[in-house]
Amino acid sequence: LPPFLAPTVAVADSVAVPSLPALPCRHMSNDDTLELTIKRLVRPVRGFPNPDFTFGDITPLLADGHAYSAVIDAFVERYKDAGLVAIAAPEARGFFFGCPVAAKLGIGFLPVRKMNQLPGDTHRSPIVAMDYGERCLEVHSDILPGGRTGKVAVIDDILATGGSALACCGILEQLGMHIHEVAAVYDYSAGKSALPGRGLLTEQGYSVFALAKFCDDRVEGKMLWWLERGTDDDVVLSPHIGKMNKQH
């Protein structure tokens, strides 16, 4: 069970949770303002992709043109002088961020896809445990012009267990790439979180960056991440509740 998607005993319109102390107020830098905007626009949806999860839905962020642009611009600003040859991202939600960042930087984009979804020769990861089960990921071999290699950044929407990010790094290194950094829009695996993603990647020597962090876990044994962006009343119920989404 991916612990960043909090298990629930029963599904109801209103779920009682322990009250939490208020988050400390402090002067906000531009980065802080963006982090708060991202948190406000990540919608908690209970019962997706299976009944025990509370999913962080990024579609409200994508639908807010100013916020979406700010996220892309923040990554561009971070990587504009990094000497990258490409941005890589795993399907599907990573594409929403990796593609526009690569386009603005004027560099290539490397789509990392699930097994058997790319038509040419590929480098393939081992089967790895990811947020919603086990997968194998692939990237096209020698896809950059002239077989070029160099530094790449891996961008995804979230960092949780770290499985997909680690798989991406491994197959990109098979291409002869150097992993400059693994980046996410928001991270569930820092601070007091029990999730292994950030720690797993740093133990392997990879730099990790996130624009926002959902990791203020102040209820022992639970991750009520949505309380960092509102109240429990903000949680909506998925119309797919009770139906495991195997395609997710």
Side-chain angles (χ1 to χ4, degrees), residues 1-234:
L1 177 67
F4 80 101
L5 296 168
T8 57
V9 176
V11 175
D13 290 336
S14 178
V15 179
V17 297
S19 60
L20 299 180
L23 293 173
C25 295
R26 56 193 173 97
H27 176 71
M28 291 188 302
S29 68
N30 288 338
D31 288 341
D32 292 326
T33 303
L34 180 57
E35 179 170 24
L36 293 176
T37 298
I38 291 169
K39 286 186 174 184
R40 176 177 58 83
L41 291 171
V42 176
R43 178 174 59 174
V45 181
R46 185 158 294 153
F48 182 87
N50 76 34
D52 294 329
F53 296 166
T54 300
F55 180 77
D57 177 18
I58 62 163
T59 57
L61 172 62
L62 300 176
D64 186 311
H66 292 295
Y68 186 26
S69 294
V71 166
I72 301 306
D73 289 344
F75 284 130
V76 171
E77 181 66 23
R78 183 170 182 84
Y79 297 127
K80 66 181 182 181
D81 299 318
L84 302 181
V85 299
I87 296 290
E91 68 170 77
R93 296 186 303 274
F95 292 1
F96 298 146
F97 303 100
C99 288
V101 170
K104 280 202 167 189
L105 290 172
I107 59 178
F109 176 70
L110 300 176
V112 180
R113 301 212 60 191
K114 289 179 283 189
M115 189 171 59
N116 299 325
Q117 297 301 307
L118 291 171
D121 291 333
T122 63
H123 288 297
R124 180 178 295 179
S125 77
I127 296 176
V128 292
M130 300 184 187
D131 301 338
Y132 304 104
E134 294 183 338
R135 287 183 191 166
C136 174
L137 297 179
E138 293 183 328
V139 65
H140 266 143
S141 305
D142 302 320
I143 194 63
L144 290 179
R148 188 180 181 191
T149 60
K151 293 195 294 184
V152 300
V154 178
I155 297 179
D156 205 354
D157 64 330
I158 68 169
L159 176 59
T161 64
S164 59
L166 196 61
C168 285
C169 292
I171 56 177
L172 290 166
E173 288 171 339
Q174 291 179 42
L175 284 176
M177 300 296 178
H178 171 73
I179 309 302
H180 175 72
E181 191 165 67
V182 176
V185 178
Y186 55 102
D187 180 8
Y188 287 112
S189 65
K192 297 180 181 178
S193 171
L195 282 160
R198 179 175 286 263
L200 178 66
L201 290 164
T202 55
E203 285 173 7
Q204 297 297 317
Y206 298 115
S207 173
V208 179
F209 171 72
L211 294 174
K213 297 175 183 178
F214 280 113
C215 48
D216 186 35
D217 185 1
R218 292 168 292 179
V219 179
E220 186 175 355
K222 298 180 181 179
M223 279 200 70
L224 306 177
W225 61 265
W226 57 90
L227 296 182
E228 292 189 47
R229 46 92 58 209
T231 69
D232 199 64
D233 292 336
D234 293 334

